[in-house]
Coordinates of all heavy atoms in Angstrom, one line a residue:
M1 N 40.2 14.9 28.1 CA 38.9 14.6 27.6 C 38.9 14.7 26.0 O 37.9 14.8 25.4 CB 37.9 15.7 28.1 CG 37.4 15.5 29.5 SD 36.6 13.9 29.7 CE 34.9 14.4 30.1
S2 N 40.1 14.7 25.4 CA 40.2 14.7 24.0 C 40.1 13.3 23.4 O 40.7 12.4 23.9 CB 41.5 15.4 23.5 OG 42.6 14.7 24.0
A3 N 39.3 13.2 22.3 CA 39.1 11.9 21.7 C 40.3 11.6 20.8 O 40.6 12.4 19.9 CB 37.8 11.9 21.0
T4 N 40.9 10.4 21.0 CA 41.9 10.0 20.0 C 41.3 9.2 18.9 O 40.5 8.3 19.2 CB 43.0 9.2 20.8 OG1 42.4 8.3 21.6 CG2 43.9 10.2 21.6
P5 N 41.7 9.4 17.7 CA 41.1 8.7 16.6 C 41.2 7.2 16.8 O 40.3 6.4 16.4 CB 42.0 9.1 15.4 CG 42.6 10.4 15.8 CD 42.7 10.4 17.3
H6 N 42.3 6.7 17.4 CA 42.5 5.3 17.5 C 41.5 4.6 18.4 O 41.2 3.5 18.3 CB 43.9 5.0 18.1 CG 44.9 4.5 17.1 ND1 45.6 5.4 16.3 CD2 45.2 3.3 16.7 CE1 46.4 4.6 15.5 NE2 46.1 3.4 15.7
D7 N 40.9 5.4 19.3 CA 39.9 4.9 20.2 C 38.5 4.8 19.7 O 37.6 4.5 20.4 CB 40.0 5.6 21.6 CG 41.2 5.3 22.4 OD1 41.8 4.2 22.1 OD2 41.6 6.1 23.2
H8 N 38.4 5.2 18.5 CA 37.0 5.4 18.0 C 36.2 4.1 18.1 O 35.1 4.2 18.7 CB 37.1 5.9 16.5 CG 35.7 6.1 15.9 ND1 35.0 7.2 16.3 CD2 35.0 5.5 15.1 CE1 33.8 7.2 15.7 NE2 33.8 6.1 14.9
D9 N 36.7 3.0 17.6 CA 35.9 1.8 17.6 C 35.6 1.4 19.0 O 34.5 1.0 19.3 CB 36.8 0.7 16.9 CG 36.8 0.9 15.4 OD1 35.9 1.7 14.9 OD2 37.6 0.2 14.7
Q10 N 36.6 1.5 19.8 CA 36.4 1.1 21.2 C 35.3 1.9 21.9 O 34.4 1.4 22.5 CB 37.7 1.4 22.0 CG 37.7 1.2 23.5 CD 38.3 -0.1 23.8 OE1 38.9 -0.8 23.0 NE2 38.2 -0.5 25.1
H11 N 35.3 3.2 21.6 CA 34.3 4.1 22.2 C 32.9 3.8 21.6 O 31.9 3.9 22.4 CB 34.6 5.6 22.0 CG 35.7 6.0 23.0 ND1 35.4 6.1 24.3 CD2 36.9 6.4 22.9 CE1 36.5 6.5 25.0 NE2 37.4 6.7 24.1
E12 N 32.9 3.5 20.4 CA 31.6 3.1 19.8 C 31.0 1.9 20.5 O 29.8 1.9 20.9 CB 31.8 2.8 18.3 CG 31.9 4.0 17.4 CD 30.6 4.9 17.5 OE1 29.5 4.4 17.3 OE2 30.8 6.1 17.9
S13 N 31.8 0.9 20.7 CA 31.3 -0.3 21.4 C 31.0 0.0 22.9 O 30.0 -0.5 23.4 CB 32.2 -1.5 21.2 OG 33.5 -1.2 21.4
C14 N 31.8 0.8 23.5 CA 31.5 1.2 24.9 C 30.1 1.8 25.0 O 29.4 1.5 25.9 CB 32.6 2.2 25.4 SG 34.2 1.4 25.7
R15 N 29.9 2.8 24.1 CA 28.6 3.5 24.1 C 27.5 2.5 24.0 O 26.5 2.5 24.6 CB 28.6 4.5 23.1 CG 28.0 5.8 23.6 CD 28.1 6.9 22.6 NE 29.5 7.0 22.1 CZ 29.9 7.9 21.1 NH1 29.1 8.8 20.7 NH2 31.1 7.9 20.7
H16 N 27.7 1.6 23.0 CA 26.7 0.5 22.8 C 26.4 -0.3 24.0 O 25.2 -0.5 24.4 CB 27.2 -0.4 21.6 CG 26.4 -1.6 21.5 ND1 25.2 -1.6 20.9 CD2 26.7 -2.9 21.8 CE1 24.7 -2.9 20.9 NE2 25.6 -3.7 21.4
Y17 N 27.5 -0.7 24.7 CA 27.2 -1.5 25.9 C 26.7 -0.7 27.1 O 25.9 -1.2 27.8 CB 28.6 -2.2 26.3 CG 28.9 -3.3 25.3 CD1 30.1 -3.3 24.5 CD2 28.0 -4.4 25.1 CE1 30.4 -4.2 23.6 CE2 28.3 -5.4 24.2 CZ 29.5 -5.3 23.5 OH 29.8 -6.3 22.6
L18 N 27.3 0.5 27.2 CA 26.9 1.3 28.4 C 25.4 1.7 28.4 O 24.8 1.9 29.4 CB 27.8 2.5 28.5 CG 29.2 2.2 28.9 CD1 30.1 3.5 28.9 CD2 29.3 1.6 30.3
R19 N 24.8 1.7 27.2 CA 23.4 2.0 27.1 C 22.6 0.9 27.8 O 21.5 1.1 28.2 CB 23.0 2.0 25.6 CG 22.9 3.4 25.1 CD 22.0 3.5 23.8 NE 22.5 2.5 22.8 CZ 23.2 2.9 21.7 NH1 23.4 4.2 21.5 NH2 23.6 2.1 20.9
S20 N 23.1 -0.3 27.8 CA 22.4 -1.4 28.4 C 22.8 -1.7 29.9 O 22.3 -2.6 30.5 CB 22.7 -2.7 27.6 OG 22.4 -2.5 26.3
I21 N 23.7 -0.9 30.4 CA 24.2 -1.1 31.7 C 23.1 -1.1 32.8 O 23.1 -2.0 33.7 CB 25.3 -0.1 32.1 CG1 26.6 -0.4 31.3 CG2 25.7 -0.2 33.6 CD1 27.1 -1.8 31.5
S22 N 22.2 -0.2 32.7 CA 21.2 -0.1 33.8 C 20.3 -1.4 33.8 O 20.0 -1.9 34.9 CB 20.4 1.1 33.7 OG 19.7 1.2 32.5
E23 N 20.0 -1.9 32.6 CA 19.3 -3.1 32.5 C 20.1 -4.3 33.0 O 19.6 -5.2 33.6 CB 18.8 -3.3 31.1 CG 17.8 -2.4 30.6 CD 17.6 -2.4 29.1 OE1 17.0 -3.4 28.6 OE2 18.1 -1.5 28.4
Y24 N 21.4 -4.2 32.6 CA 22.3 -5.3 33.1 C 22.3 -5.3 34.6 O 22.2 -6.4 35.2 CB 23.7 -4.9 32.5 CG 24.8 -5.8 33.1 CD1 24.9 -7.2 32.6 CD2 25.7 -5.4 34.0 CE1 25.9 -8.0 33.1 CE2 26.7 -6.2 34.5 CZ 26.8 -7.5 34.0 OH 27.8 -8.3 34.5
L25 N 22.4 -4.2 35.2 CA 22.4 -4.1 36.7 C 21.1 -4.5 37.3 O 21.0 -5.0 38.4 CB 22.8 -2.7 37.2 CG 24.3 -2.3 36.8 CD1 24.5 -0.9 37.2 CD2 25.3 -3.2 37.5
D26 N 20.0 -4.2 36.6 CA 18.7 -4.6 37.0 C 18.4 -6.1 36.9 O 17.5 -6.6 37.4 CB 17.6 -3.8 36.2 CG 17.4 -2.4 36.8 OD1 17.9 -2.2 37.9 OD2 16.8 -1.6 36.1
G27 N 19.3 -6.7 36.1 CA 19.1 -8.1 35.8 C 18.0 -8.4 34.8 O 17.4 -9.5 34.7
T28 N 17.6 -7.4 34.0 CA 16.6 -7.6 33.0 C 17.1 -7.8 31.6 O 16.3 -7.9 30.7 CB 15.6 -6.3 33.0 OG1 16.4 -5.2 32.7 CG2 14.9 -6.1 34.3
L29 N 18.4 -7.8 31.5 CA 19.0 -8.0 30.2 C 19.1 -9.5 29.9 O 19.3 -10.3 30.8 CB 20.4 -7.4 30.2 CG 21.0 -6.8 28.9 CD1 20.0 -5.8 28.4 CD2 22.3 -6.2 29.2
S30 N 19.0 -9.8 28.6 CA 19.1 -11.3 28.2 C 20.5 -11.8 28.5 O 21.5 -11.1 28.6 CB 18.7 -11.4 26.8 OG 19.8 -10.9 26.0
D31 N 20.5 -13.1 28.7 CA 21.8 -13.8 29.0 C 22.8 -13.5 27.9 O 24.0 -13.3 28.2 CB 21.6 -15.3 29.1 CG 20.9 -15.6 30.4 OD1 20.8 -14.7 31.3 OD2 20.5 -16.8 30.6
T32 N 22.4 -13.5 26.7 CA 23.3 -13.2 25.6 C 23.9 -11.9 25.7 O 25.2 -11.7 25.6 CB 22.5 -13.3 24.3 OG1 21.6 -14.4 24.2 CG2 23.4 -13.3 23.1
L33 N 23.1 -10.9 26.0 CA 23.7 -9.5 26.1 C 24.6 -9.4 27.4 O 25.6 -8.7 27.4 CB 22.6 -8.5 26.2 CG 22.0 -8.2 24.8 CD1 20.7 -7.3 24.9 CD2 23.0 -7.4 23.9
C34 N 24.2 -10.0 28.5 CA 25.0 -10.0 29.7 C 26.4 -10.6 29.3 O 27.4 -10.0 29.7 CB 24.3 -10.9 30.8 SG 22.9 -10.1 31.5
D35 N 26.4 -11.7 28.6 CA 27.6 -12.3 28.2 C 28.5 -11.4 27.4 O 29.7 -11.2 27.6 CB 27.4 -13.6 27.4 CG 26.9 -14.8 28.3 OD1 27.1 -14.6 29.5 OD2 26.5 -15.8 27.8
E36 N 27.8 -10.7 26.4 CA 28.5 -9.7 25.6 C 29.1 -8.6 26.4 O 30.3 -8.2 26.2 CB 27.6 -9.1 24.6 CG 27.3 -10.0 23.4 CD 26.5 -9.3 22.3 OE1 26.6 -8.1 22.1 OE2 25.6 -10.0 21.7
I37 N 28.4 -8.1 27.3 CA 28.9 -7.0 28.2 C 30.0 -7.5 29.0 O 31.1 -6.8 29.2 CB 27.7 -6.5 29.1 CG1 26.8 -5.6 28.2 CG2 28.3 -5.6 30.2 CD1 25.6 -5.1 29.0
E38 N 29.9 -8.7 29.6 CA 30.9 -9.2 30.4 C 32.2 -9.5 29.6 O 33.3 -9.2 30.1 CB 30.5 -10.4 31.2 CG 29.6 -10.1 32.4 CD 28.7 -11.2 32.9 OE1 28.9 -12.3 32.4 OE2 27.8 -10.9 33.7
A39 N 32.0 -10.0 28.4 CA 33.2 -10.2 27.5 C 33.8 -8.9 27.2 O 35.1 -8.8 27.2 CB 32.7 -10.9 26.3
H40 N 33.0 -7.9 26.9 CA 33.6 -6.6 26.6 C 34.3 -6.0 27.8 O 35.4 -5.5 27.7 CB 32.5 -5.6 26.2 CG 33.0 -4.2 25.9 ND1 33.7 -3.8 24.8 CD2 32.9 -3.1 26.7 CE1 34.0 -2.6 24.9 NE2 33.5 -2.1 26.1
M41 N 33.8 -6.1 29.0 CA 34.4 -5.6 30.2 C 35.7 -6.2 30.5 O 36.6 -5.6 31.1 CB 33.4 -5.7 31.4 CG 32.4 -4.7 31.4 SD 31.6 -4.7 33.0 CE 30.7 -6.2 33.0
A42 N 35.8 -7.5 30.1 CA 37.0 -8.2 30.3 C 38.2 -7.6 29.6 O 39.4 -7.7 30.0 CB 36.9 -9.7 29.9
T43 N 37.9 -6.9 28.5 CA 39.0 -6.3 27.7 C 38.9 -4.8 27.8 O 39.8 -4.1 27.2 CB 38.8 -6.7 26.2 OG1 37.6 -6.2 25.7 CG2 38.9 -8.2 26.1
C44 N 38.0 -4.2 28.5 CA 37.8 -2.8 28.5 C 37.8 -2.3 29.9 O 36.8 -2.4 30.6 CB 36.6 -2.4 27.8 SG 36.3 -0.6 27.7
E45 N 38.9 -1.7 30.4 CA 38.9 -1.2 31.7 C 38.0 0.0 31.9 O 37.4 0.1 33.0 CB 40.4 -0.7 32.0 CG 40.5 -0.5 33.5 CD 41.9 0.0 33.9 OE1 42.8 0.1 33.0 OE2 42.1 0.4 35.1
N46 N 37.8 0.8 30.9 CA 36.9 1.9 31.0 C 35.5 1.5 31.4 O 34.9 2.0 32.4 CB 36.8 2.6 29.6 CG 35.9 3.7 29.6 OD1 35.9 4.5 30.5 ND2 35.1 3.8 28.5
C47 N 35.0 0.5 30.7 CA 33.6 0.0 31.1 C 33.6 -0.7 32.4 O 32.6 -0.7 33.1 CB 33.1 -0.9 30.0 SG 32.7 0.0 28.5
R48 N 34.7 -1.4 32.7 CA 34.8 -2.1 34.0 C 34.6 -1.1 35.1 O 33.9 -1.3 36.1 CB 36.1 -2.8 34.1 CG 36.0 -4.2 34.8 CD 37.1 -5.1 34.4 NE 38.4 -4.5 34.4 CZ 39.3 -4.8 33.5 NH1 39.0 -5.6 32.5 NH2 40.5 -4.2 33.6
V49 N 35.3 0.0 35.0 CA 35.3 1.0 36.1 C 33.8 1.6 36.2 O 33.3 1.8 37.2 CB 36.3 2.2 35.8 CG1 36.1 3.4 36.7 CG2 37.7 1.6 35.9
V50 N 33.3 1.9 35.0 CA 31.9 2.5 35.0 C 30.9 1.5 35.7 O 30.1 1.9 36.5 CB 31.5 2.8 33.5 CG1 30.0 3.2 33.5 CG2 32.3 3.9 32.9
V51 N 31.0 0.3 35.3 CA 30.0 -0.7 35.8 C 30.2 -0.9 37.3 O 29.3 -1.0 38.1 CB 30.1 -2.1 35.0 CG1 29.3 -3.1 35.7 CG2 29.7 -1.9 33.6
N52 N 31.5 -1.0 37.6 CA 31.8 -1.2 39.0 C 31.3 0.0 39.9 O 30.6 -0.3 40.9 CB 33.4 -1.3 39.2 CG 33.8 -1.8 40.5 OD1 33.0 -2.5 41.2 ND2 35.0 -1.5 40.9
T53 N 31.6 1.2 39.5 CA 31.1 2.3 40.2 C 29.6 2.4 40.2 O 29.0 2.7 41.3 CB 31.7 3.6 39.5 OG1 33.1 3.5 39.3 CG2 31.4 4.8 40.3
L54 N 29.0 2.2 39.1 CA 27.6 2.3 39.0 C 26.9 1.2 39.8 O 25.9 1.5 40.5 CB 27.2 2.1 37.5 CG 25.8 2.6 37.1 CD1 25.6 4.1 37.5 CD2 25.6 2.5 35.6
S55 N 27.4 0.0 39.8 CA 26.8 -1.1 40.6 C 26.9 -0.8 42.1 O 25.9 -1.0 42.8 CB 27.4 -2.4 40.2 OG 28.7 -2.4 40.5
K56 N 28.0 -0.2 42.5 CA 28.1 0.1 43.9 C 27.1 1.2 44.3 O 26.5 1.2 45.3 CB 29.5 0.7 44.2 CG 30.5 -0.5 44.4 CD 31.9 0.1 44.7 CE 33.0 -0.9 44.6 NZ 34.3 -0.3 44.4
T57 N 27.0 2.2 43.4 CA 26.0 3.3 43.6 C 24.6 2.8 43.7 O 23.9 3.2 44.6 CB 26.2 4.3 42.5 OG1 27.5 4.7 42.4 CG2 25.3 5.6 42.8
V58 N 24.3 1.9 42.8 CA 22.9 1.4 42.7 C 22.6 0.6 44.0 O 21.6 0.8 44.6 CB 22.7 0.5 41.5 CG1 21.4 -0.3 41.6 CG2 22.7 1.3 40.2
L59 N 23.6 -0.2 44.4 CA 23.4 -1.0 45.6 C 23.3 -0.1 46.9 O 22.4 -0.3 47.7 CB 24.6 -2.0 45.8 CG 24.6 -3.2 44.9 CD1 25.9 -3.9 45.1 CD2 23.4 -4.1 45.1
L60 N 24.1 0.9 46.9 CA 24.1 1.8 48.0 C 22.8 2.6 48.1 O 22.2 2.7 49.1 CB 25.3 2.8 47.8 CG 25.6 3.7 49.0 CD1 26.4 2.9 50.1 CD2 26.5 4.9 48.5
Y61 N 22.4 3.0 46.9 CA 21.3 3.8 46.8 C 20.0 3.1 47.2 O 19.1 3.6 47.7 CB 21.2 4.4 45.4 CG 20.2 5.5 45.2 CD1 20.3 6.6 46.1 CD2 19.3 5.6 44.2 CE1 19.4 7.7 46.0 CE2 18.4 6.6 44.1 CZ 18.5 7.7 45.0 OH 17.6 8.7 44.8
R62 N 20.0 1.8 46.8 CA 18.8 1.0 47.1 C 18.8 0.6 48.5 O 17.7 0.4 49.1 CB 18.8 -0.3 46.2 CG 18.4 0.0 44.8 CD 18.4 -1.2 44.0 NE 18.0 -0.9 42.6 CZ 18.2 -1.7 41.6 NH1 18.7 -2.9 41.8 NH2 17.9 -1.4 40.4
R63 N 19.9 0.4 49.1 CA 20.0 -0.1 50.5 C 19.6 1.1 51.5 O 19.0 0.8 52.4 CB 21.4 -0.6 50.8 CG 21.5 -1.3 52.1 CD 22.8 -2.1 52.2 NE 23.0 -3.0 51.0 CZ 24.1 -3.5 50.7 NH1 25.2 -3.3 51.4 NH2 24.2 -4.4 49.7
L64 N 20.1 2.2 51.2 CA 19.9 3.4 52.1 C 18.6 4.1 51.7 O 18.4 4.4 50.5 CB 21.0 4.4 51.9 CG 22.4 4.0 52.4 CD1 23.4 5.1 52.1 CD2 22.4 3.6 53.9
P65 N 17.7 4.3 52.7 CA 16.6 5.2 52.4 C 17.1 6.5 52.0 O 18.0 7.0 52.7 CB 15.8 5.2 53.7 CG 16.5 4.2 54.6 CD 17.8 3.9 54.1
S66 N 16.6 7.1 51.0 CA 17.2 8.4 50.5 C 17.3 9.5 51.5 O 18.2 10.3 51.5 CB 16.5 8.8 49.2 OG 15.1 8.7 49.3
P67 N 16.3 9.6 52.5 CA 16.5 10.7 53.4 C 17.7 10.6 54.3 O 18.2 11.6 54.8 CB 15.2 10.5 54.4 CG 14.3 9.8 53.6 CD 15.1 8.9 52.7
E68 N 18.3 9.4 54.4 CA 19.5 9.3 55.2 C 20.8 9.8 54.5 O 21.8 9.9 55.1 CB 19.7 7.9 55.6 CG 18.7 7.5 56.7 CD 19.0 6.2 57.4 OE1 20.2 5.7 57.2 OE2 18.1 5.6 58.0
M69 N 20.7 10.0 53.2 CA 21.8 10.5 52.5 C 21.6 12.0 52.3 O 20.7 12.4 51.6 CB 21.9 9.8 51.1 CG 23.2 10.2 50.4 SD 23.3 9.5 48.7 CE 24.0 7.9 49.0
P70 N 22.5 12.8 52.9 CA 22.3 14.2 52.8 C 22.4 14.7 51.4 O 23.1 14.1 50.6 CB 23.6 14.8 53.6 CG 24.1 13.7 54.4 CD 23.6 12.4 53.7
D71 N 21.6 15.7 51.1 CA 21.4 16.2 49.7 C 22.8 16.5 49.1 O 23.1 16.2 48.0 CB 20.5 17.4 49.6 CG 19.1 17.0 49.6 OD1 18.8 15.8 49.5 OD2 18.2 17.8 49.7
E72 N 23.6 17.2 49.9 CA 24.9 17.6 49.3 C 25.8 16.4 49.0 O 26.5 16.4 48.0 CB 25.7 18.5 50.3 CG 25.9 18.0 51.7 CD 26.7 19.0 52.5 OE1 26.1 19.9 53.1 OE2 27.9 18.8 52.6
V73 N 25.7 15.3 49.8 CA 26.5 14.1 49.4 C 25.9 13.5 48.2 O 26.7 13.1 47.3 CB 26.4 13.1 50.6 CG1 27.1 11.8 50.2 CG2 27.0 13.7 51.9
K74 N 24.6 13.4 48.1 CA 24.0 12.8 47.0 C 24.3 13.6 45.7 O 24.7 13.1 44.7 CB 22.4 12.8 47.2 CG 21.7 11.6 46.7 CD 20.3 11.8 46.6 CE 19.6 12.0 48.0 NZ 18.2 12.1 47.9
E75 N 24.2 14.9 45.9 CA 24.5 15.8 44.8 C 25.9 15.6 44.3 O 26.1 15.4 43.1 CB 24.3 17.3 45.2 CG 24.5 18.3 44.2 CD 23.2 18.6 43.4 OE1 22.2 18.1 43.7 OE2 23.3 19.3 42.4
R76 N 26.8 15.5 45.2 CA 28.2 15.4 44.8 C 28.5 14.1 44.1 O 29.1 13.9 43.1 CB 29.1 15.5 46.0 CG 30.6 15.8 45.7 CD 31.4 15.8 47.0 NE 30.8 16.6 48.0 CZ 30.9 16.3 49.3 NH1 31.5 15.3 49.7 NH2 30.4 17.1 50.2
L77 N 27.9 13.0 44.7 CA 28.1 11.7 44.2 C 27.6 11.6 42.8 O 28.3 11.1 41.9 CB 27.3 10.7 45.1 CG 27.4 9.2 44.8 CD1 28.8 8.7 44.9 CD2 26.5 8.4 45.6
F78 N 26.4 12.1 42.6 CA 25.8 11.9 41.3 C 26.5 12.8 40.3 O 26.5 12.5 39.1 CB 24.3 12.2 41.4 CG 23.5 11.1 41.9 CD1 23.4 10.8 43.3 CD2 22.9 10.2 41.0 CE1 22.8 9.7 43.8 CE2 22.2 9.1 41.5 CZ 22.1 8.8 42.9
K79 N 27.0 14.0 40.8 CA 27.7 14.9 39.9 C 29.0 14.2 39.4 O 29.3 14.2 38.2 CB 28.0 16.2 40.6 CG 28.5 17.3 39.7 CD 28.6 18.6 40.5 CE 29.1 19.7 39.6 NZ 29.2 20.9 40.3
V80 N 29.7 13.6 40.4 CA 31.0 13.0 40.1 C 30.8 11.8 39.1 O 31.5 11.6 38.2 CB 31.6 12.4 41.4 CG1 32.7 11.4 41.1 CG2 32.2 13.6 42.2
L81 N 29.7 11.1 39.3 CA 29.4 9.9 38.5 C 28.7 10.2 37.2 O 28.4 9.4 36.5 CB 28.6 8.9 39.3 CG 29.4 8.3 40.6 CD1 28.5 7.4 41.3 CD2 30.7 7.6 40.2
D82 N 28.4 11.5 37.1 CA 27.6 12.0 35.9 C 26.3 11.2 35.8 O 25.9 10.7 34.8 CB 28.5 11.7 34.7 CG 27.9 12.5 33.5 OD1 27.2 13.5 33.7 OD2 28.3 12.2 32.3
L83 N 25.6 11.2 36.9 CA 24.3 10.4 37.0 C 23.2 11.4 37.2 O 22.1 11.0 37.7 CB 24.3 9.4 38.1 CG 25.3 8.2 37.9 CD1 25.3 7.3 39.1 CD2 24.9 7.4 36.6
R84 N 23.4 12.6 36.9 CA 22.3 13.6 37.1 C 20.9 13.2 36.5 O 19.9 13.5 37.2 CB 22.7 15.0 36.6 CG 23.7 15.6 37.6 CD 24.2 17.0 37.1 NE 24.7 17.7 38.2 CZ 24.0 18.4 39.1 NH1 22.7 18.5 38.9 NH2 24.5 19.0 40.1
P85 N 20.9 12.7 35.3 CA 19.6 12.3 34.8 C 18.9 11.3 35.7 O 17.7 11.5 35.9 CB 20.0 11.6 33.5 CG 21.3 12.2 33.1 CD 22.0 12.4 34.4
Y86 N 19.6 10.4 36.3 CA 19.0 9.4 37.2 C 18.6 10.2 38.5 O 17.5 9.9 39.0 CB 20.0 8.3 37.6 CG 20.4 7.5 36.5 CD1 21.5 7.8 35.7 CD2 19.8 6.3 36.2 CE1 21.9 7.0 34.6 CE2 20.1 5.5 35.2 CZ 21.2 5.8 34.4 OH 21.5 5.0 33.4
Y87 N 19.4 11.0 39.0 CA 19.1 11.8 40.2 C 17.9 12.6 40.0 O 17.0 12.5 40.9 CB 20.3 12.7 40.5 CG 20.1 13.6 41.7 CD1 19.9 13.0 42.9 CD2 20.1 15.0 41.5 CE1 19.7 13.8 44.0 CE2 19.9 15.8 42.6 CZ 19.7 15.2 43.9 OH 19.5 16.0 45.0
H88 N 17.7 13.3 39.0 CA 16.6 14.1 38.8 C 15.3 13.3 38.5 O 14.2 13.6 39.0 CB 16.8 15.1 37.7 CG 17.7 16.2 38.1 ND1 17.4 17.1 39.1 CD2 19.0 16.6 37.7 CE1 18.4 17.9 39.3 NE2 19.4 17.6 38.4
A89 N 15.5 12.2 37.8 CA 14.4 11.3 37.6 C 13.8 10.8 38.9 O 12.6 10.7 39.1 CB 14.8 10.1 36.7
D90 N 14.7 10.4 39.8 CA 14.3 9.9 41.1 C 13.8 11.0 42.0 O 12.8 10.7 42.7 CB 15.5 9.2 41.7 CG 15.1 8.4 42.9 OD1 14.6 7.3 42.7 OD2 15.2 8.9 44.1
E91 N 14.3 12.1 41.9 CA 14.0 13.2 42.8 C 12.5 13.6 42.6 O 11.8 13.9 43.6 CB 14.8 14.5 42.4 CG 14.7 15.6 43.5 CD 15.5 16.8 43.1 OE1 15.6 17.1 41.9 OE2 16.1 17.4 44.0
S92 N 12.0 13.4 41.4 CA 10.6 13.8 41.1 C 9.6 12.9 41.9 O 8.5 13.3 42.2 CB 10.3 13.8 39.6 OG 10.5 12.5 39.2
S93 N 10.0 11.7 42.2 CA 9.2 10.8 42.9 C 9.7 10.6 44.4 O 9.4 9.6 45.0 CB 9.1 9.5 42.2 OG 10.3 8.9 42.1
E94 N 10.5 11.5 44.8 CA 11.1 11.3 46.1 C 10.3 11.7 47.3 O 10.5 11.3 48.4 CB 12.4 12.2 46.2 CG 13.3 11.7 47.2 CD 14.7 12.5 47.2 OE1 15.5 12.1 46.4 OE2 14.8 13.4 47.9
K95 N 9.2 12.5 47.1 CA 8.4 12.9 48.2 C 7.0 12.3 48.2 O 6.0 12.9 47.8 CB 8.4 14.4 48.3 CG 9.7 14.9 48.7 CD 9.8 16.5 48.7 CE 11.2 16.9 49.1 NZ 11.4 18.3 48.6
P96 N 6.9 11.0 48.6 CA 5.6 10.4 48.7 C 4.8 11.0 49.8 O 5.4 11.4 50.9 CB 5.9 8.9 48.9 CG 7.3 8.9 49.6 CD 8.0 10.2 49.2
A97 N 3.5 11.1 49.7 CA 2.7 11.7 50.7 C 2.3 10.6 51.7 O 1.2 10.1 51.8 CB 1.4 12.3 50.1
E98 N 3.2 10.2 52.5 CA 3.0 9.1 53.5 C 2.6 9.7 54.9 O 3.3 10.3 55.5 CB 4.2 8.3 53.7 CG 4.3 7.3 52.6 CD 5.5 6.3 52.8 OE1 6.5 6.7 53.3 OE2 5.4 5.2 52.4
Ligands
ZN1 ZN1 34.2 -0.4 26.9

C-alpha cells in the first residue's frame, strides 16, 4: 500500500476518473467523459479492475432484492470492495414501510 513517486501522475488521473465511475456506470456521464474513461482504462489495469468489479457489484446488487443477500455476505462484499459509503447510504433507505 506504499505510494511510489513514479506512480503519482497515474494515481492523480485514476482518482480523477474514478470519481466519475458511478455516473459512468449509471450511464449519466457525457459521451466525451465516457470516452476519456474508456481510453484511460485501456491503459490502466488498476482502473479496469475497479470498474469491472464495481459494475458487477452494481448489476448484482440491482438484480437481487437486498433481503436475499445475507447481511454478512453484503458486509464482506462491500468491505472487500471498499464500498462502505455506498452500503451505508443504501442501508438508511433499506427498510420501506410496505
Ligand atoms: Zn487508472
Side-chain angles (χ1 to χ4, degrees):
M1 284 298 246
S2 62
T4 46
H6 256 88
D7 285 339
H8 183 71
D9 286 346
Q10 177 100 5
H11 280 293
E12 281 300 303
S13 40
C14 287
R15 225 173 309 180
H16 168 74
Y17 288 117
L18 290 176
R19 261 201 303 259
S20 307
I21 288 302
S22 60
E23 291 166 73
Y24 172 75
L25 293 174
D26 279 345
T28 57
L29 211 57
S30 72
D31 286 350
T32 314
L33 281 170
C34 286
D35 285 348
E36 279 185 37
I37 286 178
E38 280 158 14
H40 175 77
M41 281 194 291
T43 62
C44 181
E45 194 183 351
N46 178 45
C47 287
R48 219 157 43 222
V49 170
V50 172
V51 172
N52 194 20
T53 308
L54 199 55
S55 59
K56 278 182 195 158
T57 307
V58 167
L59 288 174
L60 190 76
Y61 195 50
R62 282 182 183 164
R63 192 168 302 166
L64 294 175
S66 44
E68 288 191 17
M69 190 186 269
D71 278 350
E72 56 178 82
V73 175
K74 218 193 296 185
E75 182 86 9
R76 195 185 313 146
L77 180 67
F78 282 81
K79 191 173 181 178
V80 166
L81 299 177
D82 197 18
L83 291 177
R84 283 178 161 277
Y86 294 86
Y87 176 61
H88 285 299
D90 193 77
E91 191 180 39
S92 61
S93 60
E94 197 174 279
K95 289 175 180 160
E98 279 186 326

